[in-house]
Amino acid sequence: MLQEAQPAIPGGAHVMTVVVDYPPGSPGAPPHRHTGPCFGYVTEGEMRFELEGEPMRVVRAGEAFWEPGGDVIHYQDGNNRDDVPLRFVVTMMCAPDQPMLTVVEADELERRASRRAKN
């Protein structure tokens, strides 16, 4: 078993599975959130993974990750290495009629800075 979770899944959720490729050194997506939980698996490379309230950690090829969605900010999903690409597969669950990913604006990041773990 790679991971186990009991997430809250929005009623009528839209579910999408995608493969994400980042080149060496890529910072990844900007800070964002999802309306529902996301489950992923790194197939190549290493990902910098940081959720609001948790310290940044590295998820390596063969390891799984998840996030609860909702009001939690996903700060980092970038490539931890600048010499090899990163590839991961992620299944995202989204509340009906909502975007799958919403970028968090700079003013909100500033207001919530105290919620970010110190590394």
Side-chain angles (χ1 to χ4, degrees):
M1 179 184 323
L2 295 173
Q3 69 180 344
E4 185 174 7
Q6 293 181 308
I9 299 172
H14 170 84
V15 180
M16 178 188 301
T17 299
V18 298
V19 176
V20 179
D21 289 297
Y22 289 145
S26 173
H32 62 276
R33 63 171 50 96
H34 304 274
T35 59
C38 300
F39 295 87
Y41 180 80
V42 176
T43 60
E44 297 177 37
E46 300 178 357
M47 176 199 297
R48 283 187 317 277
F49 186 82
E50 181 187 0
L51 292 178
E52 189 170 61
E54 298 179 9
M56 190 280 294
R57 63 187 171 102
V58 175
V59 183
R60 293 176 171 78
E63 296 178 344
F65 60 91
W66 85 284
E67 60 183 279
D71 192 40
V72 177
I73 295 174
H74 186 176
Y75 285 99
Q76 295 188 63
D77 70 353
N79 192 336
N80 190 51
R81 304 271 304 264
D82 53 9
D83 60 337
V84 296
L86 165 66
R87 172 176 276 184
F88 59 95
V89 177
V90 62
T91 298
M92 301 173 284
M93 299 172 196
C94 181
D97 303 319
Q98 298 295 315
M100 194 61 75
L101 179 149
T102 303
V103 173
V104 178
E105 300 295 331
D107 61 329
E108 183 179 1
L109 291 173
E110 188 175 323
R111 285 193 316 271
R112 293 171 71 131
S114 65
R115 299 182 189 190
R116 194 166 184 183
K118 307 292 184 235
N119 287 323

